[in-house]
Amino acid sequence: MGQDAALIDRFLEMMAAQAGAARNTLSAYRSDLSLASQALDGGLVDADAARLARLGDGWRALSRSTVARKAAALRRFYAFLADEGLRADDPGAALPRPGAQRALPKTLSHADVDRLFTTIAERLSAKHSLSSDLRLSALFELLYGSGLRATELVSLPRAAVQPDRPFLILRGKGDRERLVPISDRARAAVAEWRGHVAADRLFLFPSGRTHLSRVRLYQLVKALAADAGVPPDRVSPHVLRHAFATHLLEGGADLRALQSMLGHADIATTEIYTHVDSSRLVALVNERHPLVDAPLRRA
C-alpha cells in the first residue's frame, strides 16, 4: 500500500491547499480512500474500471449517502491522478452514482426549544447555580441563536463575542469567512460565562490545554434534553442548528440571508429548509397571493 498511501497524502495536501477542504472533509476522504486501498490489496492507484465496478458492487448494503460519499472521494482522487499525469486515464466513471436524494433535516418544535431554555433558566435561578450552567446557557444561546456548527462553537476564541458588537466573524468550512449575527441575549449569556474564564485562556469554552470537544458538547446537549423532557435521540448540536434555520425561515427570513448566516457555499443546501417549512409556504400562498379573493371565472 506504499504507493497508495503516498499519493493519498499528496491528494489530501492538494485538497487542503487548493480546494480549501475542511479538516473533517479531509479526514473522511482519508478514511474512504484508505479503506478502498485495503479492499483492492493496495492497488487503488492502478485499479482499472472493472476492479472499481466490483468495488462499488460491494457497497450495495450501505446507505445511499455513504455510497455517494465514497464514490465522490474516489472520483476526485482519480481526477487528481489524471491531472497530475500519474494516470493516462480516469476510471472514476465506473463507480456507482446513487441518486442524489437528500433527507430532510431533523428539527425541533418551538415548544421543544422552549423546554430546553426553561430548564436552563431554572438551573440559573437555583440558589446554588453552577458555573457549568452559565457555560451551558452560553453554548445553547449560540447554537440556537446563531446556528453555529459544533466545531465553530467549541473553538471560539475567548474574545470572539464582544458586548458592543452584535456579530462575529467566523472562518468555517473551506476556510470561508462569514458574518454571524449575535442576539442581545446571547451576548449577555456569553458575557456572564466569560467572567468565569481565566483571562489567559485562548478559548471561550476551554477544557484542559485546548477547548471543549465536540463529543463533550454532544453529551451536554443530550443530558439537557433528557432533563427537559425532550427525547435525547431527537436533539444534537446539529439539530439545534437546523432548528435555528427552520424557525428563522418560518419567521420570514430571506433564503439568501439564511445561506449567508449558515455558511452554505451552495444555496441548494439552504433550500432544503423550504421543504421542512412547506406547510407555512402553502399557507402563505393561500393567504397572501393577490388572486386569493378573486372569483374564479368559469367558461
Side-chain angles (χ1 to χ4, degrees):
M1 188 180 167
Q3 179 182 227
D4 282 359
L7 288 177
I8 288 172
D9 285 343
R10 281 181 58 181
F11 166 69
L12 295 176
E13 288 172 4
M14 180 279 296
M15 289 291 295
Q18 297 181 24
R23 182 173 57 184
N24 291 344
T25 300
L26 295 173
S27 178
Y29 273 28
R30 181 179 294 280
S31 175
D32 288 334
L33 293 171
S34 297
L35 288 173
S37 178
Q38 292 172 21
L40 294 167
D41 299 320
L44 178 65
V45 170
D46 298 320
D48 59 16
R51 292 196 73 189
L52 290 184
R54 289 194 295 272
L55 177 67
D57 287 342
W59 297 341
R60 288 179 178 174
L62 303 177
S63 69
R64 185 191 299 263
S65 60
T66 299
V67 173
R69 189 199 70 230
K70 285 178 174 290
L74 267 66
R75 276 195 294 271
R76 293 201 73 162
F77 179 65
Y78 287 116
F80 162 76
L81 295 180
D83 288 344
E84 294 291 308
L86 300 170
R87 279 194 67 132
D89 64 332
D90 181 350
L95 292 162
R97 288 183 177 273
Q101 182 177 346
R102 181 174 292 172
L104 294 179
K106 294 180 180 179
T107 188
L108 297 170
S109 68
H110 289 277
D112 291 332
V113 173
D114 286 344
R115 282 196 288 271
L116 294 172
F117 280 98
T118 296
T119 302
I120 292 174
E122 289 172 350
R123 291 187 184 183
L124 293 175
S125 63
K127 186 174 181 180
H128 300 293
S129 62
L130 304 173
S131 63
S132 59
D133 294 325
L134 291 174
R135 180 182 68 175
L136 192 65
S137 175
L139 287 168
F140 266 76
E141 289 290 351
L142 291 171
L143 274 174
Y144 177 69
S146 298
L148 302 189
R149 296 182 177 95
T151 299
E152 295 169 342
L153 175 62
V154 298
S155 61
L156 282 175
R158 186 182 184 279
V161 180
Q162 293 295 320
D164 60 343
R165 191 175 67 192
F167 61 87
L168 58 85
I169 298 174
L170 284 179
R171 192 177 296 276
K173 281 189 175 181
D175 209 32
R176 293 183 295 270
E177 282 191 347
R178 74 179 193 276
L179 197 70
V180 179
I182 302 293
S183 68
D184 291 343
R185 57 179 285 164
R187 281 184 288 154
V190 169
E192 282 195 78
W193 161 243
R194 190 168 46 225
H196 292 260
V197 181
D200 61 348
R201 299 306 297 264
L202 294 177
F203 298 103
L204 181 58
F205 301 105
S207 179
R209 295 183 179 181
T210 179
H211 55 69
L212 190 74
S213 70
R214 290 188 306 159
V215 171
R216 183 60 183 142
L217 174 64
Y218 185 90
Q219 293 168 341
L220 291 171
V221 169
K222 294 285 187 184
L224 180 69
D227 287 349
V230 180
D233 61 342
R234 292 180 48 222
V235 188
S236 71
H238 211 62
V239 168
L240 284 162
R241 174 173 158 86
H242 288 319
F244 159 82
T246 304
H247 296 167
L248 268 185
L249 196 62
E250 288 175 354
D254 174 78
L255 202 61
R256 286 289 183 185
L258 189 59
Q259 176 193 8
S260 175
M261 284 186 279
L262 292 172
H264 290 159
D266 187 346
I267 198 169
T269 306
T270 317
E271 284 173 345
I272 194 168
Y273 293 103
T274 64
H275 300 294
V276 176
D277 194 29
S278 57
S279 60
R280 187 190 70 86
L281 296 177
V282 170
L284 185 65
V285 169
N286 286 328
E287 294 170 8
R288 305 290 181 85
H289 194 280
L291 294 180
V292 67
D293 295 322
L296 179 64
R297 295 182 181 179
R298 299 188 182 277

